Amino acid sequence: MDKKYLVLNIEQEYRSDLENLPWNSPLIEWNDKQVKFLDIRKGISKHTVRFIKTKNFAFAIKQTNPISAYFESETFTKLLQKGIHTLIPAGYIFYKKNLFEKNAEEKESLAFIVTILEAKSIPHSILFKWDFSDTSRKSIYKAAAELLANLHFNNIFWGDASLSNILIKFIKSHDDRGKSRTELKAFLSDSETIQILKTISDDHIKKDVKRFYDSMTEISIEFPKDEKGKSEVDLNVDKKYFKQEYKNHFELLNKITAFEKTTGLEVQKHFFKITDQYSIESILKQIEEHKWYLSEKSGREVEMTFAANDWIENIYKPIIKEFNKLKIFDYFINTNSVKLYTDIMAHKYYLSIERGEDIGIYSAIRSYSEKHSDKEESLLSKFVEKLLKRLTKIIPPNYNL
């Protein structure tokens, strides 16, 4: 390979692993004498894609055209900066004889985009075949709906919103106690048609949702059939589920943004993770009540941001501390103090609407405990009474929480 024809725009840490690969040949012609290939099942792709292992890294390489290689690599970087789950680009490579000549033949050029191979990621088509349960299907649709909602919330038009253009990955996160949990997330794997806009239009949103519906129809040919050849899955039900999950997540993102703007608090910093808008609304209502309490106490109007920070330090954190002291995770499976608090707030929100009045934190705790704990009634009752007794030392008299 004559390196004078090579344009290697690769992140420095990956350069030594990639610069001597056979970039002067189409990807389909690479052989195992030149490169160590990884035997990884992949989804449908209109481009040639191959997976390789070098001395230090594993990569996915896609052959495309020079313009697409450049813009796709740049787009991946911009998406990551906006917090979108997508592939991590290592860079792009051009190989072209007579590279700087105006009349050089396009067929003489080769272009590649290189991304870091995502560990423990699975194409949707493979995952469907492994476990075609209703739960599995809905997990994929929920992850995809959240990805699409995140894109639209950030004014990004996908252009080819499709199950074929995502990878499903199981990722680990840690809660406030350091306990790990595994979540299924969708990663955008093809950014060729992405457009980052100043403001996304309703028309763009409708086009993306329709294209995703079309991809659901396309994958449905793989669904199990009954004796008459009819699909055992109601695709319309699946589409309604996807649309509702998209709507829920989009509304949640808007609620979080409004909450942070109003209170000056970072949701992720203080509450780890909130998965529904009702927890946010309930917490905001508490902060508003705290603002009223502080204003009455001081005889002057207190700023919302001041009230929010005071509520965090003097109400929220002490309650979380008491939750931890009482080892609430022994009474509620698969939870932690922060999640339990936000879950109770959501429960309080629903019950208050149902009864037409604010039921208060004490009633919410009792009701939530009875509904969600599997402990014996006598033990649970003692636990709740002990917890409420401790909370009275934190919450001031005549204080509405």
Side-chain angles (χ1 to χ4, degrees):
M1 177 175 66
D2 193 334
K3 287 192 176 181
K4 71 182 181 182
Y5 302 133
L6 187 66
V7 176
L8 199 70
N9 195 312
I10 294 291
E11 294 291 335
Q12 191 60 42
E13 63 180 309
Y14 310 122
R15 195 176 184 90
S16 61
D17 284 64
L18 293 169
E19 62 184 349
N20 293 317
L21 296 180
W23 302 114
N24 58 330
S25 300
L27 190 55
I28 196 69
E29 295 178 8
W30 291 17
N31 60 65
D32 52 16
K33 291 182 180 178
Q34 301 167 307
V35 180
K36 182 179 179 180
F37 293 107
L38 294 172
D39 184 19
I40 296 175
R41 289 193 274 186
K42 59 178 181 288
I44 302 165
S45 175
K46 59 186 177 183
H47 298 285
T48 301
V49 178
R50 304 190 78 172
F51 306 105
I52 68 166
K53 178 74 174 72
T54 61
K55 181 180 178 181
N56 301 299
F57 302 99
F59 300 101
I61 302 176
K62 180 172 83 172
Q63 185 175 340
T64 182
N65 62 70
I67 293 175
S68 293
Y70 167 77
F71 280 106
E72 199 166 352
S73 180
E74 291 296 301
T75 301
F76 278 137
T77 300
K78 290 175 182 177
L79 292 176
L80 289 168
Q81 289 169 348
K82 290 178 178 290
I84 305 295
H85 289 306
T86 190
L87 302 184
I88 300 172
Y92 56 88
I93 295 96
F94 302 154
Y95 186 84
K96 184 174 182 179
K97 291 183 178 179
N98 307 317
L99 180 63
F100 301 106
E101 293 183 14
K102 289 184 179 180
N103 298 321
E105 290 288 330
E106 183 65 30
K107 64 183 180 181
E108 293 179 342
S109 66
L110 294 167
F112 310 85
I113 178 170
V114 184
T115 53
I116 310 305
L117 187 58
E118 288 288 342
K120 298 180 182 178
S121 59
I122 308 165
H124 76 281
S125 54
I126 304 300
L127 195 58
F128 272 142
K129 290 173 183 176
W130 280 353
D131 178 10
F132 195 81
S133 65
D134 187 61
T135 301
S136 174
R137 246 179 23 263
K138 285 186 174 180
S139 295
I140 295 172
Y141 292 146
K142 178 179 171 64
E146 290 180 358
L147 173 62
L148 188 58
N150 281 328
L151 288 168
H152 291 167
F153 181 76
N154 284 280
N155 296 307
I156 299 167
F157 175 54
W158 193 339
D160 192 11
S162 168
L163 283 162
S164 297
N165 290 330
I166 62 174
L167 289 174
I168 301 298
K169 185 179 179 183
F170 298 94
I171 61 174
K172 280 189 176 181
S173 59
H174 295 84
D175 62 23
D176 60 310
R177 294 175 54 243
K179 187 178 179 181
S180 65
R181 54 185 295 184
T182 301
E183 296 179 286
L184 188 145
K185 293 292 181 183
F187 281 65
L188 188 147
S189 61
D190 192 327
S191 66
E192 197 170 337
T193 56
I194 288 286
Q195 293 179 46
I196 300 176
L197 309 169
K198 286 187 177 180
T199 304
I200 192 166
S201 68
D202 289 341
D203 187 52
H204 280 124
I205 291 173
K206 288 176 182 176
K207 284 180 179 177
D208 266 349
V209 172
K210 183 183 181 302
R211 175 66 192 102
F212 194 86
Y213 281 170
D214 290 342
S215 78
M216 291 173 71
T217 302
E218 290 160 10
I219 196 66
S220 69
I221 61 173
E222 299 182 24
F223 291 177
K225 305 289 191 297
D226 62 19
E227 293 177 357
K228 295 181 180 179
K230 186 179 179 181
S231 175
E232 296 177 3
V233 175
D234 189 333
L235 193 57
N236 288 325
V237 172
D238 279 4
K239 288 180 179 179
K240 286 179 182 177
Y241 175 81
F242 171 83
K243 187 62 180 292
Q244 188 60 51
E245 288 300 319
Y246 168 89
K247 182 182 177 182
N248 290 345
H249 195 67
F250 193 82
E251 288 178 355
L252 174 62
L253 293 172
N254 278 302
K255 290 284 185 183
I256 288 173
T257 299
F259 175 88
E260 292 182 335
K261 185 177 180 181
T262 301
T263 64
L265 300 176
E266 293 180 36
V267 167
Q268 189 171 11
K269 176 182 177 181
H270 295 293
F271 309 111
F272 176 60
K273 183 178 182 182
I274 289 182
T275 56
D276 68 273
Q277 57 182 299
Y278 306 111
S279 296
I280 281 284
E281 289 178 5
S282 188
I283 291 169
L284 180 59
K285 189 173 184 301
Q286 286 181 51
I287 294 172
E288 288 170 345
E289 293 284 356
H290 190 67
K291 177 180 179 298
W292 177 86
Y293 169 79
L294 291 178
S295 297
E296 287 290 306
K297 187 178 178 182
S298 63
R300 61 180 178 82
E301 188 70 16
V302 171
E303 291 289 332
M304 187 62 161
T305 52
F306 176 85
N309 280 286
D310 191 82
W311 177 84
I312 285 286
E313 294 301 322
N314 296 309
I315 302 294
Y316 174 69
K317 284 184 178 179
I319 289 176
I320 296 300
K321 188 176 180 180
E322 291 302 324
F323 279 5
N324 287 330
K325 281 183 182 178
L326 288 173
K327 297 182 178 179
I328 54 89
F329 31 86
D330 289 344
Y331 292 84
F332 301 93
I333 301 171
N334 297 323
T335 193
N336 58 74
S337 297
V338 174
K339 185 177 185 303
L340 179 65
Y341 186 86
T342 56
D343 285 348
I344 290 172
M345 289 306 101
H347 185 70
K348 177 176 179 284
Y349 178 91
Y350 286 123
L351 279 183
S352 297
I353 289 178
E354 187 180 296
R355 298 182 187 179
E357 61 179 359
D358 191 331
I359 66 166
I361 187 68
Y362 299 122
S363 294
I365 289 174
R366 281 196 179 93
S367 174
Y368 183 90
S369 299
E370 290 168 3
K371 185 175 181 180
H372 294 284
S373 179
D374 61 354
K375 291 293 182 181
E376 184 184 315
E377 188 176 345
S378 59
L379 287 175
L380 185 62
S381 180
K382 288 180 182 178
F383 162 76
V384 171
E385 291 307 316
K386 187 184 291 185
L387 174 60
L388 297 182
K389 188 175 180 180
R390 292 194 180 191
L391 293 187
T392 57
K393 296 179 181 179
I394 298 170
I395 302 169
N398 302 318
Y399 185 96
N400 186 23
L401 183 61

